[in-house]
Amino acid sequence: MPTTPPGRDRAVDVARLAALVVVMFGHCALLLATIDSGGLRIGNLIGQVPAVAAITWIVQVMPLFFLAGGAAGAYGHHAGVPWGSWLFARAQRLCRPVFWYLAAWSVGLVVVALTLGPESAAGLGRESVALLWFLGVYLVALAFVPPLTRLSSGRAVAILLGCLVVAAAAIDGIRFAVGTPGAGVANFVVVWLIPVAIGVAYARRLIAARAALAVAVSAFVAQVILVAAGPYEVSLVVTGAERISNVSPPTLVLALHCTWMSCAFVLAAGAIRRWAQRPRVWRVVATGNGGAMTLYLWHIPGSRSPRSACTPSGWTPTTCTPPTSGPCSRSARSSSRW
């Protein structure tokens, strides 16, 4: 294992790895797949059992991944480096394993089309790409890191975060008025820019612990009130059964979630950093971060194969009606996205 620089912020590495591990666990635990005479059907547990949707407020940890990207970007940004060169260097490390992943999937989908039919291959193809949604958004949000490093005070950070939250609410208003999810597509950038901005502010030590606590509590309470009052859903992942998705595109609820979870990290960063100083812990974290994206990519086919093999009769592992009717057919239209 390469020598770790003394000044490295290990809490950021823990956040990045933890986010991907939790997301991978969620994909494996919540995914339901069936094979029947119509081919392969993919669904998720939350679509069938809405009562467990509240757990997504804990396991929706993608804000930590974006925060880690913002913090790492701020640590690695140096004055005088061209914006394009900086972004290309960071994107290259992220995207290199993606190209190999897509090449392998292309071969696999040909096999699926020949064995299970073109409809099943098309469904699997959509799923394999859908789980990569965050890469494009992440790269766009990452492009804002250099200008974000110009923030020089906690007040400037507070104003920026307030503007982003207000913008998310305004875009939601347009979305609800128009009546189509596409009207809220701008929130893909606005909402996911929140944890990136907090990550940059954290790296530049612009957020005091007391301020982080106040913002985290306020954002969490506001999120609870919004969901209780409606029309927002509880779930923070795509289930295929929701009326209004909080994720695709993101809503004000997800913006508040990003805010309080990112601030919670700022509060816990010191303890996480001390924990990561332990040799055994850091060995696992450093190794995991070295292949984090590869691990994430290749868990996707692994999370589907066991479920498919266990349900060849067309029934899901839970007590449910066949996938041609009932909640299974509804949830089969979409797997969980994080």
Side-chain angles (χ1 to χ4, degrees), residues 172 175 184-185 187-188 191-192 245-252 254-255:
D172 275 1
R175 171 183 173 181
V185 70
N187 265 348
F188 274 111
V191 170
W192 289 113
S245 173
N246 283 317
V247 180
S248 184
T251 63
L252 177 59
L254 186 59

Side-chain angles (χ1 to χ4, degrees), residues 45 50 84 103 130 134 152-153 229 237 269 303:
L45 180 63
F134 74 94
S152 58
S153 67
V237 302
S303 67

Side-chain angles (χ1 to χ4, degrees), residues 41-166:
R41 300 177 185 273
I42 300 174
N44 64 80
L45 180 63
I46 297 176
Q48 297 185 37
V49 189
V52 304
I55 197 175
T56 61
W57 285 35
I58 299 174
V59 299
Q60 174 52 279
V61 291
M62 285 308 295
L64 296 181
F65 184 84
F66 280 78
L67 178 145
Y75 283 133
H77 180 263
H78 303 288
V81 177
W83 173 83
S85 300
W86 176 87
L87 183 61
F88 179 78
R90 301 201 73 84
Q92 188 178 39
R93 290 195 295 269
L94 180 71
C95 294
R96 187 181 295 114
V98 177
F99 294 127
W100 290 107
Y101 167 81
L102 293 177
W105 258 109
S106 299
V107 175
L109 290 176
V110 172
V111 176
V112 172
L114 295 175
T115 56
L116 296 178
E119 185 177 348
S120 293
L124 275 176
R126 284 191 297 270
E127 289 300 321
S128 65
V129 175
L131 292 177
L132 299 179
W133 67 268
F134 74 94
L135 287 177
V137 179
Y138 177 79
L139 290 174
V140 172
L142 200 64
F144 285 86
V145 168
L148 287 174
T149 59
R150 297 175 184 173
L151 295 173
S152 58
S153 67
R155 182 179 180 180
V157 175
I159 293 174
L160 173 62
L161 293 179
C163 290
L164 290 173
V165 171
V166 170

Side-chain angles (χ1 to χ4, degrees), residues 21-43:
V21 168
V22 171
V23 168
M24 288 187 288
F25 172 79
H27 287 163
C28 295
L30 300 179
L31 186 69
L32 298 177
T34 60
I35 298 177
D36 62 8
S37 58
L40 180 65
R41 300 177 185 273
I42 300 174

